[in-house]
Amino acid sequence: MTQHPNLDPELAAAVEELVMPDLSRLTPSDLPALRAQAAAMVAASAVPDPLVTIEDLRVPGPEGDPDVRLRVYRPAEPVQVPLPCLYWIHGGGMVVGSPDADDPFAGHFVKAIGCVVVSVDYRLAPEHPDPAPVEDCFAGLLWTAKNATELGIDPTRLAVGGASAGGGLAAGTVLLARDRGGPALTFQLLVCPMLDDRDNTPSTAQFETAVVWNRAANVFGWSALLGDRKGREDVSPYAAPARAHDLSGLPRTFIDVGELEVFRDECLTYAQRLAQAGVSTELHLYPGAFHGFDVIVPDAEVSRLAQATRITALRRALLR
């Protein structure tokens, strides 16, 4: 693939050495093998962190649906006071992924913030289309808030975050919390969120080819979630938060996104609309960066900057 002229030099050098998967030709029949491959990679790279404890719980899902698995991360050193909590939602284009894949990500938050992280294992599309994923996320959040005392969580310092598809689901979950009367949230952390199913922004057209998650892959992910409703007027804002007409009354928000990715313009627009609706909003656009750059090339200068900036914002939100 020809590299974009704006690609950060450190990222470009790293990408040259990597074998990147081609996600532009995904079909539903590819998903079992892709999920198995991802799970095997997670298992092979799993390294226990002595500073973080991990516990899996099964909690009630949406009414009439299966229970939801929550993965709870805590500081290994016992504490006597309730801790702030980040409720985290993993990425994967709506079709792959699990909390286990984000163990290092969650553990980093625990150690850097001194918080609890609760990560939800929502059902994946296309086997479980909308509204199953976002309803699973909301059910897990509701249980977390109701059981804050048992979890050692301070319910007044509860944030929701996610990356990529998880960032979109985080935004949808926060909208549900507002519209259903709780739980109260102090912050949302949206990392390169997947917000808009309509495939009509300049950046979707600009990135027919991309290092990761190009236009065709994005269309596949949204189609898996929404079926033939994708792009129609009847799509719920809880599935595609860019569809929300009213963004007022939401918690303080952090959004970041790379310059060289499909999600760029929908993230910029969402941040602008949040600010216009009176929501305190922090936005970062990383030049020369592609989707997931900080995970794929974590030691690049721009990746370290992005990681540190998120920690700073989350610490400010949860520890003040």
Side-chain angles (χ1 to χ4, degrees):
M1 184 189 78
T2 302
Q3 290 192 350
H4 195 284
N6 291 1
L7 186 60
D8 176 270
E10 273 192 286
L11 299 180
V15 167
E16 287 289 348
E17 302 298 320
L18 298 174
V19 178
M20 304 301 293
D22 181 7
L23 302 177
S24 62
R25 297 180 175 84
L26 275 178
T27 67
S29 63
D30 296 325
L31 291 177
L34 187 63
R35 291 168 181 167
Q37 180 184 28
M41 290 176 61
V42 169
S45 61
V47 178
D49 188 332
L51 300 179
V52 179
T53 66
I54 300 176
E55 179 184 13
D56 285 331
L57 304 174
R58 303 292 303 189
V59 307
E63 186 174 355
D65 286 324
D67 288 350
V68 173
R69 179 171 71 104
L70 299 180
R71 177 161 271 214
V72 182
Y73 306 79
R74 298 184 181 88
E77 189 70 27
V79 295
Q80 303 303 315
V81 297
L83 296 176
C85 177
L86 172 63
Y87 183 81
W88 182 254
I89 305 175
H90 70 79
M94 304 292 181
V95 296
V96 297
S98 70
D100 313 53
D102 280 359
D103 281 357
F105 215 69
H108 183 58
F109 284 129
V110 170
K111 292 181 290 186
I113 306 294
C115 65
V116 174
V117 174
V118 178
S119 187
V120 58
D121 192 8
Y122 58 89
R123 287 171 291 172
L124 299 174
E127 296 91 338
H128 305 285
D130 176 64
V134 75
E135 290 290 353
D136 282 355
C137 293
F138 182 73
L141 174 66
L142 201 61
W143 186 90
T144 299
K146 287 181 176 178
N147 293 273
T149 300
E150 291 79 1
L151 293 169
I153 290 169
D154 178 353
T156 69
R157 294 186 291 164
L158 176 58
V160 174
S164 191
L169 288 166
T173 299
V174 169
L175 287 168
L176 279 172
R178 180 197 64 180
D179 295 345
R180 293 179 179 176
L185 302 170
T186 191
F187 192 64
Q188 58 176 339
L189 181 78
L190 308 181
V191 177
C192 54
M194 181 177 177
L195 299 167
D196 197 340
D197 66 296
R198 290 168 289 193
D199 187 39
N200 63 1
T201 67
S203 59
T204 61
Q206 191 173 358
F207 297 107
E208 295 278 359
T209 61
V211 176
V212 175
W213 202 249
N214 63 10
R215 186 179 194 174
N218 197 45
V219 168
F220 174 80
W222 280 115
S223 298
L225 181 71
L226 300 173
D228 61 9
R229 291 187 297 125
K230 178 195 167 298
R232 291 191 344 206
E233 289 303 312
D234 58 345
V235 170
S236 164
Y238 309 124
R243 301 292 201 118
H245 296 296
D246 178 13
L247 296 180
S248 63
L250 296 175
R252 287 180 300 136
T253 300
F254 175 102
I255 298 178
D256 69 11
V257 68
E259 174 194 2
L260 309 180
E261 62 171 301
V262 167
F263 299 144
R264 183 193 66 206
D265 293 340
E266 62 202 64
C267 291
L268 298 182
T269 299
Y270 200 69
Q272 181 182 44
R273 291 185 57 221
L274 283 164
Q276 290 169 346
V279 177
S280 182
T281 303
E282 180 175 351
L283 169 67
H284 294 269
L285 174 66
Y286 288 104
F290 53 82
H291 188 66
F293 66 97
D294 60 300
V295 175
I296 295 171
V297 194
D299 293 326
E301 182 178 359
V302 67
S303 301
R304 288 185 278 109
L305 174 62
Q307 295 157 4
T309 302
R310 291 173 200 144
I311 291 295
T312 298
L314 191 59
R315 182 181 290 120
R316 189 167 60 242
L318 293 181
L319 300 183
R320 70 175 187 174

